[in-house]
Amino acid sequence: PVIPGPGPAAPAIPLCPGRLRHFKI
Amino acid sequence: ARSPLPSPVRDPNCDDPDVEQAALAAVQYVNSNHRHGYKYTLNQIDKVRVYQRRPAGEVYSMEIDLLETTCHVLDPTPLENCTVRQLIEHAVEGDCDVSVLKLDNQFVVLNAKCESSPDSAEDVRKVCLDCALLAPLNDTKVLHAVDAALAAFNAQNHTSYFKLLEISRAQLAPLHSSVYVEFVVVPTDCSPKDVADPAVCNLLADQYGFCKATLTEKVGGEDVAASCTVFGTAPVVPGPQPDGVGPTVGPTVAAGRHPV
């Protein structure tokens, strides 16, 4: 029996918004 | 006619090194292209999308959040030495949409559209019940405080008569018992003593003073304390520092700055 490989990797979700450098208003 | 194919795009992470470099180039562009108010520093990169540009290069289309610092835009202090205005000082944020071209590893800003907005009074009250709040720059109490502070400064100063260039910031303490103002002045070719008509005094080019002052109302009168830092090569005679002034400007940190 052929074991199906893992499906296509999910597209990498861009990490946004980025890091907070000071504080949020 | 077929519309040109959209150029291929990529969506990098907002904290990728090249994205941060593009954002810092935009911050430098913003600070060098406005002549009033304060320098801004990068707080957060909200969004970024990168477009291929023909024949070469990439365009970073970004949304960035900035925060106001305590350095006036005319202050030669490097941005990295400028303190971010804190929440209890009634912070101001900037929101910018920018396009930055990356070509041969150089970042060039193509355009930038920014809006600034102060924190809400409610949010300031959450962190500080009795902190002074920002006031309109044309408030009559603000205008009076600046007039009184500039008159007091000119009365102390012995070399040059200073004129007002810009009221940069004003705060009213609760119950309006005191007014805290920051403003920019320019030295003139008049001596403080012989100023009959300030209109005849000519501004000395490329020299500025950044002043901080507090006017406090008291029974039967008012107290005003002002201190100014002069940028550039204005002749400076260090005047007596008024005691009780608001946050005085720090010692000279950059060539050409002289607390007076």
Side-chain angles (χ1 to χ4, degrees):
Chain A
V2 175
I3 301 171
I13 300 170
L15 298 178
C16 284
R19 65 188 175 86
L20 205 55
R21 290 159 178 80
H22 299 285
F23 50 81
K24 197 68 183 166
I25 283 191
Chain B
R2 286 186 53 194
S3 62
L5 288 174
S7 46
V9 300
R10 64 186 176 90
D11 290 332
N13 296 327
C14 279
D15 286 335
D16 283 356
D18 58 325
V19 175
E20 181 153 20
Q21 275 186 284
L24 293 175
V27 171
Q28 189 175 4
Y29 175 88
V30 167
N31 284 330
S32 49
N33 280 276
H34 73 272
R35 304 295 293 159
H36 301 283
Y38 297 85
K39 291 180 183 180
Y40 281 80
T41 189
L42 180 63
N43 190 31
Q44 187 172 37
I45 300 170
D46 279 342
K47 291 181 186 169
V48 58
R49 174 155 276 193
V50 181
Y51 297 85
Q52 208 64 45
R53 179 180 177 268
R54 294 189 179 83
E58 293 181 306
V59 175
Y60 288 63
S61 178
M62 313 168 75
E63 279 182 32
I64 56 178
D65 266 0
L66 312 181
L67 283 176
E68 182 183 86
T69 69
T70 57
C71 290
H72 193 271
V73 282
L74 296 171
D75 185 333
T77 303
L79 179 62
E80 55 274 15
N81 296 351
C82 293
T83 310
V84 174
R85 182 99 55 202
Q86 295 303 303
L87 287 169
I88 63 169
E89 296 172 283
H90 208 152
V92 178
E93 83 167 340
D95 292 301
C96 293
D97 293 330
V98 299
S99 296
V100 182
L101 167 66
K102 180 182 180 183
L103 190 60
D104 304 334
N105 233 14
Q106 299 292 315
F107 291 90
V108 177
V109 177
L110 300 177
N111 60 65
K113 183 171 73 72
C114 298
E115 285 179 359
S116 65
S117 51
D119 198 3
S120 68
E122 295 75 23
D123 284 353
V124 178
R125 285 282 169 261
K126 283 178 194 165
V127 293
C128 174
L129 274 180
D130 57 357
C131 279
L133 297 178
L134 281 177
L137 298 181
N138 59 356
D139 180 291
T140 51
K141 285 177 176 283
V142 170
L143 298 175
H144 171 66
V146 170
D147 281 347
L150 183 51
F153 176 67
N154 273 322
Q156 287 171 6
N157 189 15
H158 311 290
T159 54
S160 177
Y161 175 78
F162 282 74
K163 275 185 172 178
L164 178 66
L165 178 68
E166 167 198 305
I167 301 177
S168 311
R169 182 177 171 89
Q171 288 171 279
L172 293 177
L175 309 177
H176 295 194
S177 54
S178 65
V179 186
Y180 174 67
V181 288
E182 296 182 357
F183 53 95
V184 179
V185 294
V186 185
T188 66
D189 56 4
C190 290
S191 153
K193 295 178 181 52
D194 57 15
V195 177
D197 173 11
V200 304
C201 300
N202 302 305
L203 305 184
L204 301 184
D206 292 336
Q207 295 170 25
Y208 305 97
F210 181 64
C211 303
K212 301 186 173 190
T214 302
L215 182 140
T216 308
E217 290 175 2
K218 61 180 190 179
V219 175
E222 59 191 24
D223 276 336
V224 65
S227 73
C228 299
T229 292
V230 179
F231 313 131
T233 55
V236 173
V237 174
Q241 282 302 316
D243 53 354
V245 71
T248 53
V249 186
T252 305
V253 288
R257 289 174 96 250
H258 309 280
V260 176

